[in-house]
């Protein structure tokens, strides 16, 4: 059964790989056998992580990518494919930012930054990956959305709207790309302890959040591994357009 999740011989591209879920997932994909490219704005931070992965015997590379600068997206994927000497099979479309503020106080510039990064940026990264995969009639794209795109969360109007957009985009991409051999699914983390999540901790939200999570715990990045490996591997060969929450049951608590 382990062979079902084996990624040997595959190449993975992870955006937003300098911290949190992206960094952790890059390592997990490498452990599962994939050659990985870590892509993020903070490329200096990536070099030390890549060094660590290579030392452990994995194939890893780092490339600069700013998803709000479209010209860097194709460049980064070209570079990844030339360094690894093979096309990208798995795209973990993960780069994202958070903005938590009451709706009436959200600032236009910040709203634009959220949409540019979480929706337009994710769209363009997915589009570039999809073009390459469709040409080969093979590939898996994992869009990292959020349960905030599935339920209404206070202070998360622009963020939640960006993630709801990404979920809808996932379904349309899946519909258009299924017959071209490309699978597209959305991973929807709930509350996962990362740098991004610190915003909630700093605002003193953690206690009230815990009350709304049936499992009464903030998730750890490792707890996304099962869903990620499922979507990345041939174990999900008949899955496309799926939207998978990993949230300790939080989506249930408002029903
Ligand atoms: P994080 O802040 O540790 O990681 C976000 C990554 O995206 C960083 O590496 C950052 O440099 C990168 N990034 C931001 N803007 C970028 C840009 N313009 N171009 C390229 N890279 C950029 O946060 P975390 O928690 O690891 O978030 C990863 C993804 O998971 C995000 O899309 C986030 O919305 C999503 N998510 C996180 C949840 C959580 O509770 N931590 C819950 C639901 C979704």
């Amino acid at each position: 059964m382990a062979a079902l999740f084996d990624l040997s011989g595959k190449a993975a591209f992870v955006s937003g790989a300098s911290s949190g879920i992206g960094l952790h997932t890059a390592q997990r994909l490498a452990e599962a056998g994939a050659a990985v490219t870590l892509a993020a704005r903070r490329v200096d931070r990536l070099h030390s992580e890549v060094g660590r992965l290579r030392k452990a015997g994995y194939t890893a590379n780092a490339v600069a990518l700013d998803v709000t600068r479209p010209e860097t997206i194709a460049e980064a994927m070209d570079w990844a494919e030339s360094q690894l000497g093979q096309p990208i099979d798995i795209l973990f479309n993960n780069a994202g930012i958070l903005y938590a503020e009451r709706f009436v106080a959200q600032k236009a510039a910040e709203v634009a930054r959220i949409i540019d990064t979480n929706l337009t940026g994710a769209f363009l990264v997915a589009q570039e990956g999809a073009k390459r995969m469709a040409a080969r009639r093979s590939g898996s794209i994992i869009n990292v959305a959020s349960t905030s795109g599935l339920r209404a969360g206070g202070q998360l109007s622009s963020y939640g709207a960006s993630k709801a957009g990404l979920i809808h985009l996932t379904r349309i991409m899946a519909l258009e790309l299924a017959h071209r051999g490309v699978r597209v699914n959305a991973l929807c983390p709930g509350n996962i302890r990362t740098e991004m999540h610190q915003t909630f901790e700093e605002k003193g939200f953690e206690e009230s959040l815990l009350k709304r999570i049936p499992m009464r715990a903030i998730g750890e990045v490792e707890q996304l591994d099962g869903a990620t490996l499922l979507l990345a591997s041939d174990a999900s060969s008949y899955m496309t357009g799926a939207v998978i929450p990993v949230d300790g049951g939080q989506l249930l608590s408002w029903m």
Side-chain angles (χ1 to χ4, degrees):
M1 281 309 277
L4 209 53
F5 299 92
D6 185 14
L7 302 181
S8 299
K10 302 207 182 217
F13 186 98
V14 178
S15 74
S18 61
S19 61
I21 294 169
L23 178 58
H24 170 80
T25 299
Q27 168 148 354
R28 278 295 184 264
L29 296 173
E31 286 168 3
V36 291
T37 297
L38 288 78
R41 292 165 305 175
R42 291 176 283 180
V43 81
D44 51 325
R45 203 160 155 184
L46 292 178
H47 286 313
S48 59
E49 298 300 343
V50 162
R52 198 173 49 77
L53 288 171
R54 285 185 180 164
K55 226 170 158 181
Y58 303 120
T59 304
N61 286 298
V63 69
L65 169 76
D66 183 338
V67 303
T68 63
R69 293 178 48 221
E71 71 282 4
T72 69
I73 298 172
E75 264 172 37
M77 290 194 192
D78 281 344
W79 188 89
E81 294 187 332
S82 73
Q83 287 295 304
L84 299 175
Q86 65 182 111
I88 296 164
D89 301 291
I90 300 156
L91 171 59
F92 193 73
N93 191 10
N94 164 77
I97 52 174
L98 178 71
Y99 177 39
E101 184 55 272
R102 286 170 304 123
F103 172 67
V104 291
Q106 293 228 337
K107 296 189 171 57
E110 289 301 307
V111 175
R113 213 164 66 85
I114 287 283
I115 301 298
D116 279 355
T117 306
N118 295 2
L119 185 54
T120 311
F123 181 112
L124 296 173
V125 170
Q127 186 184 49
E128 186 58 41
K131 280 189 214 164
R132 289 160 195 259
M133 292 174 180
R136 294 182 293 114
R137 306 192 65 78
S138 168
S140 170
I141 298 176
I142 302 166
N143 289 328
V144 182
S146 168
T147 50
S148 300
L150 293 167
R151 61 183 283 277
Q155 303 208 19
L156 294 176
S157 51
S158 51
Y159 179 81
S162 73
K163 294 298 189 177
L166 184 55
I167 290 166
H168 201 64
L169 172 67
T170 300
R171 294 186 171 124
I172 295 171
M173 286 180 67
L175 184 68
E176 288 194 18
L177 292 161
H179 71 285
R180 302 187 68 185
V182 183
R183 298 186 298 106
V184 190
N185 294 287
L187 179 67
C188 293
N191 286 275
I192 307 292
R193 206 175 299 284
T194 62
E195 276 179 35
M196 179 179 285
H197 199 266
Q198 274 168 18
T199 309
F200 293 119
E201 290 162 35
E202 283 156 16
K203 284 187 170 235
F205 288 170
E206 185 153 339
E207 210 177 308
S208 66
L209 273 176
L210 283 173
K211 283 191 193 134
R212 281 184 259 139
I213 302 173
M215 287 190 179
R216 299 285 181 265
I218 303 298
E220 303 296 336
V221 285
E222 293 78 9
Q223 291 178 299
L224 297 172
D225 292 347
T228 301
L229 285 177
L230 170 68
L231 297 178
S233 68
D234 292 341
S236 59
S237 59
Y238 197 52
M239 284 175 71
T240 197
V243 177
I244 304 188
V246 181
D247 68 344
Q250 192 177 1
L251 279 178
L252 305 170
S253 64
W254 59 280
M255 286 163 77

